[in-house]
Amino acid sequence: MPVTDDLKLLIDAAEAAGKIASGFFHGAAERWDKPGGQGPVTEADLAVDRMLRNELTGARPGYGWLSEETEDTPARLEAEQVFIVDPIDGTRSFIEGSTTWAHSLAVARNGIVEAAVVYLPERGKLYAAARGQGATLNDAPLTVSPKTQIEGATVLAAKPNLNPSFWRNRDVPPVERVFRSSLAYRLSLVGEGRFDAMMTLRPTWEWDVAAGALIVEEAGGKVTDQVKGSARFNNPHPQLRGMVAGTPPVQDALVKRLAEPLV
């Protein structure tokens, strides 16, 4: 299947997801907490997940399925291609009435993301990328920022990521921290060139970052886990060892200064 066909499928599905989620967003979506401290979920998350699974796997019955809101099974590990989906990334923002939540959709082939969409319907922003064909925002080409120095770099990250314990010799880099709740949106903003880097230094679910990682790469950025390993997807346990993404010089500088993880 040509990657452009998969990308078109993801774009159409994301736009349909936006219509469903926005209907709940402007109403009153029921919410509850997932067991095991896994955070909140709403009826909007589940409605979007059902639609995406039906539409995407219906169009590509041979593809595997990995989604935050669907019980995982080993079947996806046998598939060459797999959909990796977060129906609503930034559910807390969705609940709070912020517009920074997103739909994050990707197709990975043999562990490598080949097509990706991150869509923020309430902001009218549709980021898309196909491997080897560049990244776009509402069809306009994207390029990461020209920043080459870590000093003063703008980095999208949660506050705990700048705790001295994460850094060699407890030497926190001289960056300007900014926060957005959705990891998919953070990555997309780096691809857009509005910020120089992003990082998350805890085990990271694949569905949060698969689509955004390709958007950064296709915009000319660099993406690894926190120990400089390449980001590969559709793992048996679908988590990565964090993620650091940004302009190549800034990303390199951040990773070099990180302390070795304890595990």
Side-chain angles (χ1 to χ4, degrees):
M1 182 67 62
V3 68
T4 50
D5 289 356
D6 279 347
L7 181 59
K8 176 65 166 58
L9 176 66
L10 294 184
I11 289 171
D12 290 347
E15 290 175 338
K19 293 177 182 177
I20 293 173
S22 291
F24 285 102
F25 185 69
H26 294 288
E30 183 182 354
R31 61 148 293 179
W32 56 94
D33 290 321
K34 298 180 187 179
Q38 292 297 309
V41 65
T42 73
E43 57 183 330
D45 295 83
L46 301 185
V48 171
D49 185 67
R50 285 192 298 271
M51 182 278 293
L52 290 175
R53 187 175 188 183
N54 289 338
E55 293 297 320
L56 294 176
T57 62
R60 304 285 190 272
Y63 288 21
W65 179 258
L66 175 63
S67 167
E68 179 175 12
E69 307 304 345
T70 302
E71 184 177 356
D72 194 17
T73 72
R76 63 179 171 81
L77 301 175
E78 305 301 320
E80 182 178 6
Q81 287 118 327
V82 60
F83 292 110
I84 304 176
V85 170
D86 193 341
I88 298 179
D89 186 38
T91 298
R92 293 183 193 278
S93 293
F94 183 92
I95 292 167
E96 293 165 0
S98 169
T99 58
T100 58
W101 50 274
H103 306 297
S104 177
L105 288 65
V107 172
R109 181 175 182 271
N110 295 327
I112 305 297
V113 178
E114 292 195 330
V117 171
V118 174
Y119 180 41
L120 286 79
E122 293 298 312
R123 296 200 165 198
K125 302 180 78 169
L126 194 150
Y127 299 88
R131 185 160 295 279
Q133 300 185 35
T136 60
L137 169 58
N138 297 341
D139 296 324
L142 295 183
T143 304
V144 295
S145 90
K147 183 75 171 178
T148 60
Q149 302 295 321
I150 195 170
E151 291 78 11
T154 53
V155 178
L156 289 153
K159 189 174 181 180
N161 290 282
L162 294 183
N163 186 300
S165 63
F166 282 117
W167 303 92
R168 293 184 188 276
N169 303 316
R170 301 181 65 84
D171 184 17
V172 179
V175 299
E176 178 185 343
R177 186 187 70 85
V178 188
F179 182 73
R180 299 290 186 277
S181 63
S182 163
L183 287 173
Y185 189 32
R186 291 185 213 174
L187 285 157
S188 300
L189 287 167
V190 172
E192 189 180 347
R194 288 180 57 191
F195 298 91
D196 304 315
M198 68 77 67
M199 59 185 180
T200 179
L201 304 179
R202 63 180 182 179
T204 303
W205 294 109
E206 291 186 15
W207 47 72
D208 288 329
V209 295
L214 181 63
I215 290 166
V216 172
E217 291 176 341
E218 288 297 317
K222 184 175 181 180
V223 179
T224 71
D225 66 20
Q226 72 184 87
V227 292
K228 297 188 280 189
S230 61
R232 294 189 65 87
F233 295 88
N234 198 29
N235 298 293
H237 180 63
Q239 282 190 319
L240 305 177
R241 295 177 297 178
M243 179 163 283
V244 184
T247 74
V250 173
Q251 199 273 358
D252 283 340
L254 286 169
V255 172
K256 286 176 182 177
R257 294 176 68 138
L258 282 168
E260 291 295 331
L262 295 178
V263 294

